[in-house]
Amino acid sequence: MNQNNIPIPLTSLVGRQKEVEAVGRLLSATRLLTLLGLGGVGKTRLAIEAANAAASKFRNGVCWVDFASLIDPLLIPQTIAKALELYLAPKQAPLETVEKYLVSKQLLLVLDNCEHLIAACAELAEHLLSVCPKLQVFATSREELGIFGETTWHVPSLPFPDSQSLPPIPALMEYPSIRLFIERAAAASPGYSISEINYQPIALICQKLDGIPLAIELAAARIKLLSAKEIVDRLTDRFDILTGGSRNALPRQQTLRATLDWSYELLTESEQRLFRCLSVFADCFSLEAAEQVARSNLSISERSNFLDLLVQLVNKSLIEVEIAAPLSESGTRYHMLETIREYASEMLATSGETVAVHKAYLNYYLGFVGEAEPKLYNQEQSAASDQLEAEYDNLRAAIEWSLENKDVEVAAQLVMHLSRFWQLRGYFSEAAMWLDRILALPDTADHTQAKLLITRGHIAEAQGAYEQAAVLVEDSLAIFRTQGDISGIARGTAIMGIIRVLQGEREQGIKLLEDSLKTFQETGDEWQSARALLYIADSYNRMGDNKKAALSCQECLVLFKKLGDPWGITFASGIAGEIARHLGDLQQAKEYFRNNLVFHWQHSMIGEIPYTLETLSLIAISEKDYVRAVRLWGAAEVLREKADAPLPPAYQSDYQKYLTLAHEKLGEKAYSAALQQGRDLTPTDVIELATHDNLIQLETSSAPENEPFAEYHLTKREIEILRLVATGMTDAQVAEQLILSPRTISKHLESIYSKLNVNSRTAATHFALSHKMIE
């Protein structure tokens, strides 16, 4: 399956065809290419176009990794793993996971915005290139990586005319800088065009801005407020001031600074205040976040006009708007370009407002995670996780800022509120990193220290570091006992029980879990009670006591359903499925695991999928559906290899009996063929194979020649989706009907549109009706 997550630009690329071709030639001749240039010159935009042009030459596609909002260099491997959609195994270092995945891939890895992480990016690129022979790295930065084998290419400004000897207007429009200005000005003020009146000042604008795309776009956006001549008049004063300053600065840096200073000066005092405040956001932000953070720095009247002020910043191209996708509940989000954010941050520091605004930023996100955390234990779990994911870079920045300013208690609260989110999403390595940094700081209050220790111990347990986890939990228990914290003691005892169970000491683990369960039941803590029962049920089931396992499982399932916790419900359902399988009720077991599989797929819980596929494979073998079983096993193998999460030894002997039977029944040739077919399946096909009975013909094949749409090479699944869409169903309704995720339906529709040469649901529906696909 090819990787391709190249960003989709919202505007056209003007005047860069020669540069795209030049970069393409360099990409064909070197394994490491770095685009260099100042902020705003268009490195990222050029890289997008060049990567798209080169994508077909890489068998495994292109992976785009944006470091613009990343602060901590230790998170670079995890950021790359996320872009590659890799599952980070608990015991596996993120870099090792990335390395093992890329070692055999012919892939273009694009590292965008490396300048603030230059040393770490250089080290990582050098390492990956040395161990991954088919990998190529394409970076953008304000300075070179400085490693052996690197080819650098400076991104030039757009060509501009000499304002002293201008050609006629048709020839003037051949200059990319002029075309860019006109195009962006027309977007700001519809109908705007070059004329005998404005062509001279337009040319002068492009010349004075040295053809820098960002500066030109900022100037063009002012056309709704100023004429081209008025813009020139304002630019002149700013340039004069800068050229009288330091001669050591690069001319382009002076020009960009002039452009930003000029843009800033055009703002009202209220707009400037808001502009400075918004620089604290490390990534996209919501309207609510912006308003709450800005309250610390705005007057009462300005607060009442907040939306109008924000609109003005959007109109003046200092803030960009990201409209939510259809069916999304995330709402509109906003962001600053990196260069503009850096400038605004400097203005914030100069104003003396940094501390006050950052405190407001911390307070907002502390409240945000505090409000989100309880939802991670109920029916709002998925939505809350998505909300936290959307704000993740801002949350990281909040933790980092609180640590840099020695505000340990705030950092600890943020981290503890996020611990459940980290566990649900499998971000164990990052959770451990933050917790270790906080635990290493002195003067932490005892109660906070105990909570941090137990949280860190839980993370270590999830990573399989059981001895380390036990030491951490024992340390927390010592503090809880000294303080007489009954709830803390019960939580620590429960985690110790889980550790013992996972180590194979099931009887001791059950005793600890049952001891904690009594306290949870006495204090009315239903979620902790349910989790304790969950592991008790799992332990009894693996010990062969199906009766006790079933009783505990039913009890915890009732509690999790009452609470509405999807994680708990699916975990308990998995145990119920295993109990049913051991008792011979294969249909019920299959239903449990199919439902779990769909849930894990829809919620991107990729690490949970291999076990579910393997269990469904065993069920299929029990049903003598050997081809399906081996395909499922092959698919699970690939996912385990990708995540570097091998099947636990405790399961291997039992599972091998089933596989040996399938091998004997199919024979070597058919078995190997089925195994390879499973390994070659796309994720969508895996889900379909696992959740649909009597599905022997793989859905990746095109429809038969006598099937409608055969000439367009639609798959059977695509035809099925198109028919449902043509009836008026939304993506969500189609997904529910076919037991797939809305995201999967969206991907199918993109393929359908491409094959039918249409660009909308309406056009696809019209096509289906005209070809009598529906009545």
Side-chain angles (χ1 to χ4, degrees):
M1 181 176 63
N2 284 354
Q3 177 84 29
N4 194 340
N5 62 341
I6 303 171
I8 301 174
L10 298 179
T11 56
S12 61
L13 182 65
V14 178
R16 290 294 197 192
Q17 188 56 43
K18 290 182 179 179
E19 287 88 342
V20 171
E21 292 172 359
V23 172
R25 288 192 294 271
L26 290 173
L27 282 173
S28 300
T30 183
R31 292 188 63 209
L32 172 59
L33 174 63
T34 304
L35 298 187
L36 302 177
L38 77 162
V41 78
K43 300 184 295 295
T44 296
R45 187 63 181 84
L46 178 58
I48 289 172
E49 204 72 18
N52 273 315
S56 62
K57 299 177 183 178
F58 293 87
R59 179 164 51 86
N60 298 111
V62 179
C63 177
W64 188 282
V65 187
D66 185 5
F67 293 137
S69 59
L70 191 64
I71 297 173
D72 194 330
L74 295 177
L75 298 177
I76 288 177
Q78 179 161 321
T79 303
I80 294 175
K82 184 176 180 180
L84 288 166
E85 299 181 351
L86 301 181
Y87 170 72
L88 295 177
K91 296 182 181 179
Q92 186 89 37
L95 178 57
E96 192 174 348
T97 300
V98 170
E99 177 186 325
K100 288 191 174 185
Y101 177 73
L102 292 176
V103 69
S104 62
K105 299 294 188 294
Q106 185 195 10
L107 180 140
L108 180 63
L109 181 64
V110 185
L111 307 180
D112 191 29
N113 295 298
C114 296
E115 51 272 357
H116 59 302
L117 306 165
I118 195 71
C121 286
E123 181 180 352
L124 179 133
E126 187 171 39
H127 175 72
L128 289 179
L129 288 169
S130 68
V131 297
C132 305
K134 300 178 183 178
L135 179 70
Q136 285 185 236
V137 175
F138 186 22
T140 73
S141 177
R142 296 184 190 179
E143 62 178 298
E144 62 184 22
L145 300 185
I147 60 178
F148 181 78
E150 179 184 26
T151 298
T152 61
W153 196 81
H154 286 266
V155 179
S157 297
L158 294 174
F160 52 85
D162 181 356
S163 61
Q164 299 302 313
S165 55
L166 293 177
I169 289 178
L172 193 62
M173 286 298 293
E174 295 298 315
Y175 285 92
S177 59
I178 301 294
R179 295 206 308 274
L180 178 63
F181 183 91
I182 296 300
E183 182 174 311
R184 300 300 190 260
S189 179
Y192 188 86
S193 62
I194 196 167
S195 67
E196 293 292 338
I197 296 174
N198 62 22
Y199 81 97
Q200 288 182 322
I202 288 174
L204 190 56
I205 288 171
C206 293
Q207 177 180 320
K208 286 187 172 293
L209 296 180
D210 286 343
I212 299 171
L214 175 59
I216 291 172
E217 291 185 348
L218 288 170
R222 302 297 176 264
I223 284 297
K224 65 171 64 176
L225 301 174
L226 303 168
S227 69
K229 185 178 183 305
E230 288 174 324
I231 292 174
V232 170
D233 292 338
R234 289 174 178 268
L235 283 175
T236 303
D237 291 338
R238 298 302 181 268
F239 285 151
D240 287 344
I241 293 172
L242 285 175
T243 54
S246 172
R247 295 183 180 274
N248 294 325
L250 293 173
R252 289 191 182 118
Q253 291 175 331
Q254 293 175 352
T255 302
L256 185 59
R257 169 66 65 183
T259 303
L260 293 173
D261 281 339
W262 158 73
S263 182
Y264 182 70
E265 291 298 328
L266 282 178
L267 302 176
T268 66
E269 288 186 11
S270 297
E271 291 167 357
Q272 287 180 352
R273 248 191 306 277
L274 178 58
F275 178 62
R276 294 194 298 267
C277 287
L278 298 181
S279 70
V280 298
F281 290 97
D283 195 14
C284 299
F285 51 88
S286 66
L287 182 65
E288 177 191 12
E291 187 168 16
Q292 292 302 314
V293 171
R295 286 178 67 85
S296 65
N297 212 38
L298 299 180
S299 66
I300 295 176
S301 61
E302 288 170 342
R303 291 174 195 171
S304 63
N305 293 322
F306 170 79
L307 189 57
D308 290 336
L309 293 174
L310 183 62
V311 168
Q312 286 303 311
L313 294 180
V314 171
N315 289 342
K316 295 173 182 178
S317 300
L318 293 172
I319 300 292
E320 295 197 350
V321 182
E322 295 188 355
I323 304 298
L327 302 180
S328 170
E329 298 180 2
S330 61
T332 304
R333 295 180 67 79
Y334 307 84
H335 76 276
M336 284 183 174
L337 294 175
E338 183 192 4
T339 302
I340 296 176
R341 183 174 65 82
E342 289 180 0
Y343 177 86
S345 183
E346 289 182 17
M347 295 299 101
L348 182 67
T350 302
S351 71
E353 302 160 342
T354 300
V355 173
V357 176
H358 269 95
K359 282 186 176 179
Y361 183 79
L362 285 180
N363 288 335
Y364 172 77
Y365 280 108
L366 192 57
F368 180 82
V369 294
E371 184 179 339
E373 184 189 14
K375 299 175 183 178
L376 299 175
Y377 297 89
N378 60 32
Q379 66 276 6
E380 296 183 77
Q381 184 179 96
S382 179
S385 294
D386 289 344
Q387 289 167 359
L388 288 168
E389 190 76 59
E391 295 287 354
Y392 201 19
D393 285 322
N394 288 318
L395 291 167
R396 283 170 166 168
I399 300 171
E400 188 70 48
W401 197 86
S402 61
L403 288 174
E404 288 176 358
N405 289 271
K406 310 301 180 185
D407 199 340
V408 180
E409 287 296 322
V410 171
Q413 289 181 60
L414 286 167
V415 166
M416 287 185 289
H417 282 314
L418 283 169
S419 64
R420 175 67 175 161
F421 165 74
W422 281 328
Q423 292 167 49
L424 287 170
R425 289 294 168 102
Y427 298 163
F428 301 116
S429 296
E430 182 169 357
M433 182 271 291
W434 288 120
L435 285 160
D436 287 343
R437 285 183 62 182
I438 298 174
L439 284 167
L441 297 174
D443 304 324
T444 306
D446 285 347
H447 195 64
T448 300
Q449 185 81 356
K451 289 182 176 180
L452 289 168
L453 285 167
I454 196 172
T455 303
R456 181 66 180 91
H458 199 4
I459 294 297
E461 167 261 304
Q463 292 178 299
Y466 301 125
E467 295 303 327
Q468 179 191 12
V471 171
L472 289 162
V473 175
E474 283 292 356
D475 288 346
S476 73
L477 281 169
I479 299 174
F480 285 136
R481 288 170 183 144
T482 299
Q483 297 180 334
D485 187 334
I486 296 174
S487 178
I489 294 170
R491 291 200 306 275
T493 302
I495 295 176
M496 284 298 298
I498 294 170
I499 292 169
R500 297 306 177 210
V501 163
L502 295 176
Q503 285 180 308
E505 301 170 14
R506 293 193 177 100
E507 291 182 356
Q508 183 182 357
I510 288 174
K511 183 179 184 307
L512 290 169
L513 285 163
E514 288 179 339
D515 287 346
S516 67
L517 178 60
K518 291 177 184 177
T519 302
F520 295 141
Q521 291 174 334
E522 289 171 359
T523 58
D525 193 331
E526 293 183 317
W527 190 88
Q528 293 286 356
S529 296
R531 187 182 64 171
L533 285 164
L534 192 67
Y535 282 95
I536 291 170
D538 185 52
S539 300
Y540 278 129
N541 183 49
R542 298 187 187 285
M543 293 168 67
D545 194 334
N546 294 328
K547 185 175 180 181
K548 287 185 178 179
L551 288 172
S552 297
C553 180
Q554 182 59 32
E555 192 175 349
C556 80
L557 189 57
V558 169
L559 283 174
F560 277 130
K561 285 184 176 179
K562 177 182 177 182
L563 295 167
D565 183 346
W567 173 86
I569 293 170
T570 57
F571 202 148
S573 296
I575 295 173
E578 281 284 25
I579 294 171
R581 184 173 73 86
H582 290 152
L583 294 175
D585 191 343
L586 299 180
Q587 190 58 40
Q588 185 178 14
K590 185 162 55 177
E591 183 178 346
Y592 276 126
F593 281 101
R594 283 181 168 179
N595 288 338
N596 282 3
L597 179 63
V598 172
F599 175 83
H600 293 146
W601 170 249
Q602 291 177 338
H603 293 80
S604 302
M605 299 173 73
I606 306 301
E608 305 291 339
I609 290 178
Y611 170 70
T612 307
L613 291 176
E614 288 155 356
T615 308
L616 286 168
S617 174
L618 303 189
I619 293 171
I621 291 172
S622 298
E623 294 179 328
K624 301 181 180 180
D625 192 350
Y626 302 115
V627 172
R628 178 201 297 272
V630 178
R631 286 176 179 169
L632 290 172
W633 192 269
E637 278 186 346
V638 170
L639 289 173
R640 285 200 178 276
E641 290 168 6
K642 189 173 182 179
D644 196 26
L647 183 68
Y651 303 156
Q652 288 178 5
S653 59
D654 180 43
Y655 286 11
Q656 191 58 47
K657 296 175 185 177
Y658 287 87
L659 289 175
T660 299
L661 175 61
H663 206 151
E664 291 174 352
K665 294 296 183 181
L666 290 175
E668 177 61 33
K669 184 176 181 180
Y671 181 90
S672 297
L675 191 67
Q676 189 58 49
Q677 287 173 342
R679 293 180 64 88
D680 292 340
L681 287 174
T682 66
T684 301
D685 289 327
V686 171
I687 302 302
E688 293 181 15
L689 178 65
T691 56
H692 290 73
D693 287 320
N694 303 318
L695 186 63
I696 297 299
Q697 178 69 31
L698 294 180
E699 294 288 358
T700 51
S701 59
S702 296
E705 289 302 318
N706 59 351
E707 185 78 28
F709 289 12
E711 63 188 284
Y712 296 96
H713 306 291
L714 296 181
T715 67
K716 293 179 180 178
R717 175 60 79 198
E718 288 170 345
I719 293 173
E720 185 177 16
I721 289 173
L722 182 54
R723 284 172 172 162
L724 293 174
V725 167
T727 65
M729 284 189 177
T730 65
D731 285 9
Q733 291 169 330
V734 175
E736 183 177 0
Q737 173 95 3
L738 300 179
I739 322 179
L740 296 172
S741 70
R743 184 167 51 186
T744 299
I745 300 301
S746 178
K747 289 180 179 178
H748 274 304
L749 283 172
E750 288 178 8
S751 175
I752 292 169
Y753 296 164
S754 176
K755 292 177 180 179
L756 300 184
N757 195 26
V758 298
N759 58 12
S760 69
R761 299 170 71 90
T762 302
T765 298
H766 177 75
F767 190 98
L769 289 168
S770 64
H771 285 73
K772 303 187 184 330
M773 291 299 298
I774 59 174
E775 296 297 330

